[in-house]
Structures are given as structure tokens and as C-alpha cells.
Amino acid sequence: MFRLYLWCLVCSVSVALSAVAQPKRFSHAIGVGLYNSPAHFAGGLVYAPRFHAIRFSARAALSLGTQLGLGASFHNNYNSGGGTPTSIFMMDMPLLVTYNYGHAAMMNSSAGWGFFTGAGYAFHHANRNTNAEEEEETDTRILISGAVLTAGCRFAIAGASLGLHISWLFNNNHYNTDIPGIASAGLSCNIIPRRK
């Protein structure tokens, strides 16, 4: 499973690097995000590159991208199998199709505010708390994949271009049947080149 995640990460970075050569069709942001589900709480850095596949106007586009989250699980404790610590690594990787409008929808969009909404498919890998007092041995791994919905807004404030997003990842693979999905929220800074 880790190889699949690594392969997805390498592909995302490759697409992002190749898109940098086409600045009018590429936008990106960096920030922080929080991820929550039953017995799991995590946070980390979020990198959100997107490629504008269809441009409707100077302020609207249909984009392909991701909100890649890399970080750590919080409140991790010792597992029940002999006191060895569980891993704190967390990765969230959605592949998204989004409709973007207004501020930062395109690299040169300068509206005061904007929004985006979209859907796609996502993978979430992390670890969670286990209760050492339980008689049953609980798997500490969280391996969630399924459909994901996202929405957010972008705005200019104090000379910076910021964005807020929320997402819900549905657990469609039934590996962790006690987790219906993963909710996430984040704050990001849109990387917009200064105009000369």
C-alpha cells in the first residue's frame, strides 16, 4: 500500500513540475490542514497544485489537482501488542476536479474574493489510538479510500491571497468499517507571482 502512495506522490510532483512551465494554466497554494474521524485526529502541511484544463473566462476554470496533506497523527499512544509506539505518519491525497471562480481561480485573477467546489477520489493513510485495556486487538492503521467532496473560498486580505477549504472523504473500501469518513479543513496561502 505504501508503494501505491509513493507512486501517487511521485506522479503528482511530476505533474506539478511540468505544469510550472505553463504558468497561465497552473496555480498552487501551500498551507496547513486538520483531519478528523472517530479515534483519529491529525494535522500537517497541505500543498495544492492544480492544472486548469478548461478556461471558461479570465475568472473561471475547470481544474485537475490535489490537496496533498503530509503530517502526523495526534494523541498517538502505545499499541496493545507489547508497548511499541505506533507510527505518527499521516498522508491524505485526493485527486480532484474542481470548478474555480473569482480570486485566484487562475494565476492572474485579481477579484477580491472567489470560491471553488469539486469532487474526486482520495486516499488517506494514518494511525490512530488503540485502547490497551480492550480484550480484542485493534488494528492501528487507517487506510481509507473513496469519493471525496470539497469546497472553499479564496480572498485577498492585508496584501496576501488566502484560502479556506473543507472536505469530506467517504470510506468506500470498508477496511476500517468503524470510520464512515474523514473530515478535513485547511487554511492556505495562494502562491501568486508579483506583477511587474
Side-chain angles (χ1 to χ4, degrees), residues 128 139 141-144 171-178:
R128 64 175 163 176
D139 192 350
R141 294 177 298 168
I142 295 177
L143 300 170
I144 303 289
N171 182 7
N172 293 345
N173 70 359
H174 306 293
Y175 181 78
N176 301 103
T177 56
D178 60 322

Side-chain angles (χ1 to χ4, degrees), residues 50 52 56-57 59-63 67 97-106 109-118 150-156 161-166 190:
R50 63 187 189 279
H52 309 298
F56 299 110
S57 70
R59 292 186 175 187
L62 189 68
S63 305
Q67 296 167 349
V97 175
T98 57
Y99 175 76
N100 301 274
Y101 180 82
H103 182 77
M106 303 283 291
S109 299
S110 59
W113 67 275
F115 70 91
F116 65 93
T117 185
T150 188
C153 63
R154 299 185 186 102
F155 49 91
S161 175
L162 302 177
L164 295 170
H165 82 268
I166 57 171
N190 299 300

